[in-house]
Amino acid sequence: MSRKALFANLKPASVSAAESEATVKSEDRTGDDKSVADPIRAARLRSRPILGAPELIKTAAAPVGALGQSLSEFKAQSERASAIERQLAEGQAVVDLDPTLIDPSFVKDRMPTSKEAHARLVEAIREHGQQVPILVRPHPSNMGRYQVAYGHRRLRAALELQRTVRAVVKALSDDELVIAQGQENNERQDLSFIEKARFARDLEEKGFKRDTIMTALSVYKSDLSNMLSVISRIPEDVVNAIGPALGIGRRGWIDLAERFSDPFVAESVAALILAPDFLALESDQRFRQAHAVARPSIERPRFENWTTAEGAKFAKIVQNAEKISVTIDRRVVPEFGDYILERLQSLYEEFKSRR
């Protein structure tokens, strides 16, 4: 039976058994007929649909040296392919993969987790096994390998435990991969605001449309604009030093981003994140310290109004750490401004004499 016919067994549950059997027989006959007449198609049918590795079939037209790999490597790869195909043919949606054959997604969605959190995950998988499979796709540019859509932490744990990783293999475009990656994390609700913001920025820098990014993150246009604004205004080294800050939401990060418009703030926070004591704190605490240090160099101005006995406002005083401004309304007190100007010099001399 051809490989195409083998995978024809993987029909949706809604297709009847009779229909599935008829389809398989039809595709099997078609494959067999064409394999005789079309040697190129026959070669394709002999390829592994999952690993993309050629089956070890000796032919007179294929010298051993042209294979490009040793026979032992071919045998191991062929055995892996056979095992995966056997699981799929038996109707299993989840297969066991060698974690060393799986590469990470081309865009990161998470910041590094703590050693304690990783250790807890490793111990849970060691004790109870991997309960939730990861999602991978055949690698788009590296034949015989896979690429993760989601499940990076579980993959890392499997590598550490030196055991296979349970995975669903699905052909995905780049857009489909990032949407699956983002939506899985949204459903699990374990990505922080700043991690989503970094994910959105990285996707935009890689040329993804905003509609795709909004779908991946399940956010509205205004939410995405806020994320991109925050991640563009806070220096990258500050974001990395603070970490995911799971307990800090949108408003906290927006407020911190607004404070970075002051050069003094950037200098103060840059000095803070280099302190050894800062990096020893939990991520949420690091954010709060950075937020406390990120105060504008000039205090917000204070406003005060002077009024007449009748309650009419005749003067406005604005003062901050650098200056005091007095504005007198000539329409209310036409001569008072001149009176102040005439005596201002003498008031200054009187002030000096009292010091």
Side-chain angles (χ1 to χ4, degrees):
M1 179 182 291
S2 67
R3 296 297 175 192
K4 184 174 181 182
L6 176 63
F7 277 85
N9 289 321
L10 299 178
K11 299 291 181 183
S14 59
V15 178
S16 68
E19 291 172 337
S20 178
E21 182 178 358
T23 302
V24 170
K25 289 180 179 179
S26 173
E27 291 180 354
D28 190 31
R29 286 195 300 272
T30 303
D32 289 342
D33 293 340
K34 291 188 177 180
S35 65
V36 175
D38 189 348
I40 297 177
R41 179 176 176 82
R44 288 178 179 171
L45 290 175
R46 288 199 299 270
S47 66
R48 296 293 188 185
I50 300 301
L51 290 183
E55 186 182 20
L56 269 181
I57 299 178
K58 293 185 178 180
T59 64
V64 176
L67 296 178
Q69 295 184 15
S70 68
L71 289 176
S72 61
E73 290 173 334
F74 265 125
K75 182 178 180 181
Q77 193 175 40
S78 181
E79 288 175 352
R80 287 196 300 268
S82 296
I84 294 169
E85 289 175 5
R86 188 163 52 252
Q87 293 180 66
L88 289 175
E90 292 170 357
Q92 298 181 26
V94 179
V95 297
D96 294 321
L97 297 178
D98 180 351
T100 62
L101 296 176
I102 304 174
D103 296 322
S105 171
F106 58 85
V107 59
K108 291 183 179 180
D109 55 4
R110 295 182 186 278
M111 301 176 76
T113 56
S114 66
K115 293 181 180 179
E116 294 78 12
H118 174 68
R120 288 194 297 269
L121 177 62
V122 170
E123 190 57 34
I125 293 178
R126 189 200 313 274
E127 226 177 287
H128 307 290
Q130 181 190 340
Q131 300 300 313
V132 182
I134 68 174
L135 177 64
V136 302
R137 69 172 178 177
H139 202 289
S141 60
N142 198 341
M143 183 93 49
R145 298 190 64 81
Y146 302 90
Q147 192 172 58
V148 177
Y150 57 74
H152 289 85
R153 292 183 295 180
R154 281 163 277 170
L155 174 62
R156 181 183 167 197
L159 282 166
E160 187 170 318
L161 292 169
Q162 296 184 344
R163 62 170 63 176
T164 58
V165 61
R166 301 177 67 235
V168 173
V169 181
K170 187 174 182 181
L172 300 168
S173 67
D174 287 353
D175 280 7
E176 289 169 338
L177 184 141
V178 299
I179 288 174
Q181 185 176 350
Q183 290 189 346
E184 193 268 352
N185 287 321
N186 286 331
E187 290 174 5
R188 295 171 67 86
Q189 296 183 340
D190 55 0
L191 275 189
S192 67
F193 174 84
I194 199 63
E195 286 179 307
K196 291 179 181 178
R198 281 164 50 105
F199 185 48
R201 178 205 58 195
D202 292 348
L203 289 177
E204 187 172 62
E205 288 179 351
K206 290 181 182 297
F208 286 91
K209 296 179 180 179
R210 290 206 172 186
D211 286 345
T212 299
I213 302 173
M214 288 187 289
T215 302
L217 292 172
S218 297
V219 296
Y220 293 107
K221 187 176 181 179
S222 58
D223 299 323
L224 179 59
S225 296
N226 283 331
M227 290 177 181
L228 295 174
S229 173
V230 166
I231 201 65
S232 66
R233 296 168 71 178
I234 302 177
E236 185 73 8
D237 59 341
V238 173
V239 173
N240 291 336
I242 292 175
L246 295 174
I248 308 300
R250 173 179 61 87
R251 291 189 177 182
W253 282 103
I254 289 176
D255 186 53
L256 180 62
E258 290 175 347
R259 298 186 183 194
F260 269 90
S261 59
D262 188 335
F264 177 79
V265 167
E267 294 175 7
S268 301
V269 177
L272 172 70
I273 65 176
L274 295 177
D277 293 345
F278 178 81
L279 297 177
L281 298 173
E282 293 293 331
S283 183
D284 283 10
Q285 293 176 309
R286 294 199 293 269
F287 174 88
R288 293 189 180 98
Q289 277 210 5
H291 189 265
V293 168
R295 294 190 180 94
S297 58
I298 302 175
E299 296 180 0
R300 292 181 178 179
R302 290 178 293 161
F303 300 90
E304 184 180 354
N305 291 314
W306 289 353
T307 59
T308 64
E310 293 77 18
K313 296 179 182 178
F314 70 88
K316 180 179 180 180
I317 298 89
V318 180
Q319 56 180 316
N320 55 34
E322 293 186 342
K323 61 183 179 180
I324 299 175
S325 300
V326 179
T327 304
I328 297 173
D329 192 340
R330 290 182 180 273
R331 295 170 300 179
V332 179
V333 284
E335 300 176 355
F336 182 66
D338 295 333
Y339 178 83
I340 292 293
L341 291 175
E342 290 174 1
R343 287 160 177 75
L344 192 59
Q345 186 65 37
S346 59
L347 285 172
Y348 177 70
E349 296 298 334
E350 181 181 345
F351 166 75
K352 286 180 61 178
S353 65
R354 291 184 178 182
R355 297 185 67 177

